[in-house]
Amino acid sequence: MSLRLGDVAPDFEAQTTQGTIKFHEWLGNSWGMLFSHPADFTPVCTTELGRTALLKGEFEKRNVKVIAVSVDDLESHNRWIPDINEVNNTEVNFPIIADADRNVATLYDMIHPNASEKATVRSVFVIGPDKKVKLTLTYPASTGRNFNELLRVIDSLQLTANSQVATPADWKAGDDVIVVPAVSTEDAQKKYDDLRIVKPYLRYTAQPK
Ligand code: BEZ
């Protein structure tokens, strides 16, 4: 069965371009982003992995460890990395899992046989420090993901984890947030000087620091 929000992200041991890792141990107390790509030496994937490398500082700021996976072997990953570096003018600075035996792809249901029997789709799993799945996304092979959106949603997840707030449609960092329904208006008024009540169930406040 596929993984659902709130499930514990399956642990595994895998060979990667940065050595063998035990996933949960490698995550430690950080957030994690595990994302699959269909295959090495393919155009969209080359742009995605380059973009991820270029965003290293953004992921670090958010305490997110990033790790990629495809069903190619280690030798293939290592031959491909110089191309990613060259095309994107960067250095791949995160591990890529060599999942030739499809162990990780199977645990995370990343192969969708009606799309492709052979390759992983573009899955994303954001995992919290409690090792639970906080976000899943699935894109087809032909559509490169929007990494600004991934950062945006991580910002939203982390706000919710740290404060009792949710984020409205098209929210971006710095915009006002919504007080979650579990907080009564009486309590919200005590907590937030700037509370703006649009409806009894729709209450805005400034983004917590
Ligand atoms: C790509 O990464 O460019 C790609 C991979 C599989 C199918 C289509 C595009």
Side-chain angles (χ1 to χ4, degrees):
M1 199 172 74
S2 57
L3 280 175
R4 294 178 174 173
L5 301 186
D7 291 351
V8 173
D11 197 13
F12 56 82
E13 184 170 317
Q15 270 196 323
T16 82
T17 51
Q18 296 185 356
T20 301
I21 65 150
K22 292 180 176 163
F23 187 51
H24 282 194
E25 197 178 279
W26 176 81
L27 283 170
N29 294 321
S30 301
W31 287 69
M33 188 179 91
L34 169 67
F35 69 113
S36 55
H37 60 274
D40 294 355
F41 298 100
T42 51
V44 177
C45 303
T46 302
T47 64
E48 284 196 329
L49 271 69
R51 180 79 178 124
T52 306
L54 288 164
L55 289 172
K56 177 184 167 70
E58 294 299 321
F59 286 111
E60 277 179 356
K61 243 197 270 176
R62 293 163 174 83
N63 191 29
V64 179
K65 287 188 167 179
V66 174
I67 187 162
V69 59
S70 76
V71 297
D72 300 282
D73 63 22
L74 201 54
E75 187 267 337
S76 167
H77 287 341
N78 284 329
R79 271 193 301 118
W80 181 39
I81 285 172
D83 284 3
I84 303 171
N85 292 346
E86 178 196 326
V87 168
N88 299 282
N89 195 22
T90 188
E91 293 279 328
V92 171
N93 43 36
F94 54 89
I96 309 174
I97 298 168
D99 195 37
D101 66 1
R102 301 177 172 208
N103 179 41
V104 176
T106 304
L107 283 172
Y108 284 80
D109 196 27
M110 291 165 161
I111 295 183
H112 297 195
N114 291 325
S116 166
E117 292 274 359
K118 290 195 207 127
T120 42
V121 291
R122 295 187 197 282
S123 302
V124 183
F125 294 87
V126 176
I127 297 155
D130 58 1
K131 311 289 183 292
K132 291 193 176 158
V133 175
K134 306 296 180 191
L135 172 93
T136 65
L137 277 178
T138 308
Y139 275 46
S142 50
T143 305
R145 285 158 286 203
N146 183 329
F147 284 77
N148 291 325
E149 169 59 7
L150 294 176
L151 292 173
R152 188 195 76 92
V153 81
I154 287 167
D155 284 342
S156 171
L157 291 168
Q158 293 188 340
L159 262 182
T160 304
N162 297 329
S163 314
Q164 288 179 300
V165 296
T167 56
D170 296 336
W171 175 86
K172 48 190 185 338
D175 289 353
D176 284 353
V177 298
I178 288 172
V179 180
V180 295
V183 177
S184 70
T185 295
E186 194 185 346
D187 286 347
Q189 276 167 326
K190 282 187 207 143
K191 193 164 178 188
Y192 305 111
D193 290 342
D194 66 338
L195 193 73
R196 182 162 57 88
I197 304 171
V198 175
K199 291 282 178 194
Y201 54 83
L202 176 56
R203 299 143 321 154
Y204 288 94
T205 184
Q207 178 186 322
K209 296 285 171 252

